[in-house]
Amino acid sequence: MIHPPGVECPAPSARQAGRDQLAAELMGLIGRLRRELDHYLAVQSDCPADESVRLLNDSAAAWMQESLHDLEATVVGLAAAAGHHRR
């Protein structure tokens, strides 16, 4: 990353600490999204729906859950790559 004149590049340990903090925040957000999605789906399951609507809702819920899993795996992969790069 190119820094403007007069702006120092953070030390590697500070950059790593920043990345670790951001990764932890992202994992926290993903966990919160999972809980909110579970709550939303529980509320939705209480609402009567015809078969076609239920199938669409189930498909959408599965897609959202898979997306959250993909986000989590990406954060873990990026953190592992950063750790490998430090060595």
Side-chain angles (χ1 to χ4, degrees):
M1 173 187 228
I2 298 174
H3 295 277
V7 175
E8 295 295 319
C9 180
S13 61
R15 283 194 309 260
Q16 181 59 42
R19 280 194 300 260
D20 291 348
Q21 175 66 29
L22 289 172
E25 288 176 22
L26 285 171
M27 294 302 275
L29 287 171
I30 292 167
R32 180 172 177 213
L33 284 170
R34 282 185 196 279
R35 291 186 300 276
E36 293 294 329
L37 178 58
D38 289 344
H39 179 72
Y40 176 77
L41 294 175
V43 170
Q44 285 294 104
S45 69
D46 293 340
C47 299
D50 65 27
E51 184 66 17
S52 63
V53 171
R54 190 184 61 72
L55 290 173
L56 285 173
N57 288 346
D58 289 350
S59 177
W63 179 82
M64 288 187 284
Q65 289 167 331
E66 174 113 3
S67 295
L68 291 172
H69 176 76
D70 290 346
L71 284 168
E72 185 176 43
T74 300
V75 171
V76 169
L78 289 171
H84 178 72
H85 180 70
R86 277 196 321 255
R87 293 179 189 174

